[in-house]
Amino acid sequence: MTGPAERPATDGRREERPGAGRAGGGERGARPPAGRRTDRPARGGGRYGGRAPRSAVDLPRYAAYEAVAAVHRDDAYANLVLPTILRDAGLTGRDAAFATELTYGTLRHLGTLDAIVTAAAGRDVQRIDPPVRDALRLGAYQLLHTRVPAHAAVSSTVDLVRAVGPGATGFANAVLREVAGKDADAWVRQLAPPMESDPIGHLALAYSHPQWIVRAFAEALGGDLGETTRLLIEDNERPPVHLCARPGLADPVELADEVGGAPGAFSPYAVYLSGGAPGDLPALAQGRAHVQDEGSQLVANALAQAPLDGPDGRWLDLCAGPGGKSGLLGALVAERGGRLTAVEVAEHRARLVAQATRDLPVTVLNTDGRAVGDHPKLPADHFDRVLVDAPCTGLGALRRRPESRWRRQPSDLPPLTRLQRELLAAALRAVRPGGLVAYVTCSPHTVETHVTVTESARRAGVPVDFVDARPLLPAGMPGLGDGPTVQLWPHRHGTDAMFLAVLRRG
């Protein structure tokens, strides 16, 4: 078993640019463009970088440092803070791409990088001053996972440490030169426990996931460690951007041509983007499309396509924020002359749902989905189709939010699974006899998937039958299992790891 370095460098990795920081060998420090100062940190919503950088600090690297520091110091999310940091620093094109690669790559590989820095420093990484620690993580990532020349990665990181942690430059230089003495595979061979005696521990260090998550993935994959390894590798890749062409408002083939993308492999509404900033696309501003993982499209569409006897005009999204699935369901129910009720308990997320579903037949309720039967607009035995996209650990989307793998803990499961069961019970109260409920999570953890849905159906108090979800997905999709539920996977389907169970109330 070898570490992740056996895979070719991807994710926008590139050769070092001339002038990108003091790279040694006669290269000069980067000169800021006219009018852009480097004697203070880019604003990025706050002084993320602490001390002001000097002119030798490469701006893309400093932007990545700000984002990583915000994640670790402020519990920020990279996908929220990084765009602001890039914009305020005036970074676009290749510079923005490089900063993005450094940020997300460092966060994905954090566990392995920390083990390597600990070994190279001769002290636990947690004992290193936080600004210096984050700079060393970025430097180690460049050394082990990009094509940046070693001398450039070391010298530019030392420049960064000089700006954010004066007095630690000699220490940083020594640590990084030690890191550079081995490639990623060699470090894994040295530090990871043997695959033969401790496969979970080995995979956790080799592919930078907490052990409890590796164990949960392996269990969900039936104990297949080879497939678990493929999943972990895929989790560390940069995910593609998927668009959803809203039914009746955009044709996916025409949208793909418009945005320079390609139609999706499975969802009839999916478009794959090759790059760029999707927020700048006219189709999104006009409400003809929205950003949504193809797996989320598939599970929402499965609920809409499931055979149903009787009326079919009253749909319910019980956990609607931030509104992606509501946008798709709202467009689908509009074609049938019906209406969707979208429920979201958090006020700011309810506003996002309202924005995402503007001009669609959608009523947004800012209330708790468990209020079915008590809230006047959430009567029991009323809705024809109900979606429960339940709050969960999000382990199925770690490639999109890599910091989540280090924040989530097994102790998060009991309160989440209790909430999931309460929401599913509310959905089964809300749906009319003969109606359908889709239970969805962006997690493959068996406690959040099979255990939750089985126990909820058993305790429902009304007759409940499982509908085989496999025929509700496109013909020819591989690896859908034995049914009646379906688990999608990044390494099998190129989607987030979405779970789907469809229930029919008797």
Side-chain angles (χ1 to χ4, degrees):
M1 175 61 63
T2 58
E6 67 187 32
R7 295 179 64 85
T10 55
D11 295 8
R13 298 166 195 170
R14 57 176 174 81
E15 298 293 341
E16 179 70 357
R17 298 166 294 110
R22 278 195 318 181
E27 295 182 11
R28 301 177 61 189
R31 294 182 181 273
R36 191 162 84 221
R37 296 171 57 195
T38 56
D39 60 346
R40 60 177 174 82
R43 291 186 298 278
R47 289 179 59 88
Y48 291 130
R51 293 179 180 270
R54 298 180 181 180
S55 60
V57 178
D58 181 47
L59 281 175
R61 287 182 171 89
Y62 193 79
Y65 166 79
E66 283 194 305
V68 171
V71 166
H72 294 143
R73 187 186 59 246
D74 305 328
D75 284 338
Y77 285 99
N79 67 314
L80 299 180
V81 298
L82 183 59
T84 301
I85 291 170
L86 295 178
R87 183 181 65 247
D88 287 352
L91 294 176
T92 59
R94 291 181 61 184
D95 283 343
F98 186 48
T100 301
E101 158 66 5
L102 291 185
T103 299
Y104 282 96
T106 298
L107 293 173
R108 290 189 184 102
H109 292 273
L110 188 68
T112 307
L113 295 174
D114 279 1
I116 293 170
V117 170
T118 292
R123 70 176 76 166
D124 191 285
V125 71
Q126 297 304 322
R127 294 177 54 208
I128 300 173
D129 188 45
V132 177
R133 181 170 64 217
D134 283 330
L136 289 174
R137 288 161 165 166
L138 286 161
Y141 178 75
Q142 292 171 68
L143 287 167
L144 300 174
H145 294 284
T146 76
R147 298 188 182 98
V148 174
H151 69 275
V154 171
S155 62
S156 60
T157 304
V158 170
D159 283 338
L160 177 59
V161 170
R162 184 175 292 111
V164 303
T169 54
F171 169 73
N173 183 68
V175 171
L176 292 168
R177 290 188 182 280
E178 184 71 18
V179 172
K182 301 182 183 71
D183 64 17
D185 282 342
W187 276 115
V188 168
R189 286 193 295 270
Q190 175 180 326
L191 299 176
M195 184 71 178
E196 296 73 20
S197 60
D198 185 2
I200 298 299
H202 180 93
L203 293 174
L205 191 139
Y207 299 104
S208 198
H209 284 67
Q211 288 195 28
W212 76 274
I213 293 179
V214 176
R215 192 173 292 108
F217 286 170
E219 181 181 357
L221 288 165
D224 188 329
L225 294 180
E227 192 169 9
T228 302
T229 301
R230 292 193 291 275
L231 170 59
L232 297 175
I233 290 171
E234 194 65 32
D235 251 1
N236 287 334
E237 295 295 317
R238 181 178 62 180
V241 176
H242 295 168
L243 299 183
C244 176
R246 291 185 170 179
L249 299 173
D251 178 88
V253 175
E254 294 176 357
L255 180 63
D257 290 339
E258 177 184 333
V259 301
F266 300 117
S267 167
Y269 314 114
V271 172
Y272 300 163
L273 285 186
S274 57
D280 297 335
L281 298 174
L284 272 67
Q286 296 161 4
R288 295 184 289 119
H290 60 267
V291 176
Q292 185 177 40
D293 179 77
E294 189 173 18
S296 292
Q297 299 175 38
L298 288 168
V299 296
N301 189 54
L303 172 63
Q305 300 307 320
L308 178 67
D309 294 328
D312 192 18
R314 297 175 299 198
W315 295 9
L316 174 64
D317 185 350
L318 205 58
C319 313
K325 294 182 183 68
S326 293
L328 176 53
L329 291 175
L332 288 168
V333 79
E335 294 184 320
R336 305 183 193 184
R339 190 165 193 87
L340 173 71
T341 299
V343 178
E344 174 51 50
V345 66
E347 184 178 357
H348 72 284
R349 288 169 65 88
R351 290 195 296 268
L352 293 175
V353 177
Q355 181 180 355
T357 58
R358 64 186 186 278
D359 301 325
L360 293 172
V362 176
T363 300
V364 179
L365 300 181
N366 179 203
T367 191
D368 192 320
R370 293 169 291 184
V372 170
D374 297 324
H375 193 287
K377 294 186 179 180
L378 291 176
D381 309 321
H382 177 76
F383 295 94
D384 304 309
R385 300 179 191 263
V386 180
L387 174 66
V388 183
D389 182 17
C392 66
T393 56
L395 301 186
L398 296 183
R399 58 187 188 149
R400 299 191 186 279
R401 287 193 171 180
E403 62 270 29
S404 293
R405 72 182 74 176
W406 312 115
R407 291 179 179 169
R408 284 299 187 186
Q409 301 293 332
S411 58
D412 295 332
L413 285 165
L416 279 172
T417 53
R418 182 168 57 251
L419 176 60
Q420 290 159 4
R421 295 181 190 192
E422 291 171 352
L423 287 166
L424 185 48
L428 292 169
R429 294 197 305 273
V431 73
R432 65 168 173 82
L436 295 164
V437 173
Y439 173 77
V440 169
T441 65
C442 189
S443 170
H445 199 297
T446 55
V447 172
E448 298 187 271
T449 57
H450 296 284
V451 174
T452 287
V453 74
T454 301
E455 283 299 303
S456 296
R458 186 175 65 84
R459 300 178 181 182
V462 295
V464 175
D465 295 317
F466 280 84
V467 176
D468 191 345
R470 294 171 298 171
L472 306 179
L473 297 175
M477 276 195 78
L480 295 182
D482 300 327
T485 63
V486 164
Q487 178 68 62
L488 302 178
W489 294 102
H491 66 292
R492 288 184 187 175
H493 310 107
T495 69
D496 291 345
M498 303 296 300
F499 172 82
L500 170 65
V502 180
L503 307 173
R504 188 185 306 274
R505 178 176 166 182

